[in-house]
Amino acid sequence: FYDLRKHLDPLLIKKQRQCPTRKQLQPLNPITSCVVLGLAVCYHARLRDRSPFRQVISQQFREPCALPGGPERMDSEIRHFQEIFLDELELGPQIARNHALRENVFMMLVCIDLRIPLFLVGKP
């Protein structure tokens, strides 16, 4: 994620202009943001109950890579980047912009960039 910051930053700025509540949050250190997204890809996406994971992991962030807002901020950061990627797609009128789509698109883009095979299993 860190190597892609030059491509992600313009999308992040565009999304912040569209979302006024996001502007009120203290900006995260770029490294912290990348670590949160890396954890989202490696661990968070694989869990059924994600809240305990966010609770434990968010306590491990310290200065200079602090995570103000704890587990809620971690969840918000992951969701925010998922929405950034989803906003760049043109979806048909019958496609719901739900949690499953956000997560699948996010994981597909990350795995395509890293050239990692991805198997989506479940109901269509």
Side-chain angles (χ1 to χ4, degrees):
F1 289 102
Y2 193 78
D3 291 340
L4 297 174
R5 290 301 289 196
K6 65 182 175 189
H7 302 293
L8 292 175
D9 282 345
L11 298 175
L12 188 60
I13 292 167
K14 177 180 161 185
K15 183 72 173 175
Q16 285 175 336
R17 288 184 188 137
Q18 296 171 350
C19 185
T21 57
R22 185 79 183 168
K23 292 178 185 175
Q24 297 170 357
L25 295 175
Q26 177 183 349
L28 286 182
N29 174 328
I31 294 174
T32 304
S33 180
C34 293
V35 169
V36 167
L37 295 174
L39 289 168
V41 170
C42 294
Y43 302 105
H44 192 265
R46 293 180 167 93
L47 300 172
R48 286 185 189 261
D49 187 13
R50 298 168 178 173
S51 182
F53 173 78
R54 288 190 305 264
Q55 191 72 34
V56 170
I57 293 298
S58 65
Q59 295 172 3
Q60 306 307 313
F61 285 88
R62 308 268 190 273
E63 288 297 334
C65 295
L67 183 63
E72 293 81 17
R73 180 62 186 272
M74 186 174 186
D75 186 45
S76 169
E77 193 71 11
I78 293 167
R79 191 174 342 102
H80 185 68
F81 271 88
Q82 289 172 346
E83 289 172 359
I84 286 172
F85 292 141
L86 196 56
D87 287 345
E88 294 302 307
L89 298 178
E90 289 184 28
L91 300 177
Q94 301 298 320
I95 299 175
R97 294 176 58 95
N98 59 19
H99 174 75
L101 182 64
R102 273 197 328 259
E103 200 164 87
N104 287 342
V105 167
F106 176 72
M107 290 300 293
M108 281 191 275
L109 290 173
V110 169
C111 289
I112 287 168
D113 181 57
L114 297 175
R115 297 187 177 114
I116 298 172
L118 175 68
F119 297 94
L120 297 176
V121 180
K123 300 175 190 172

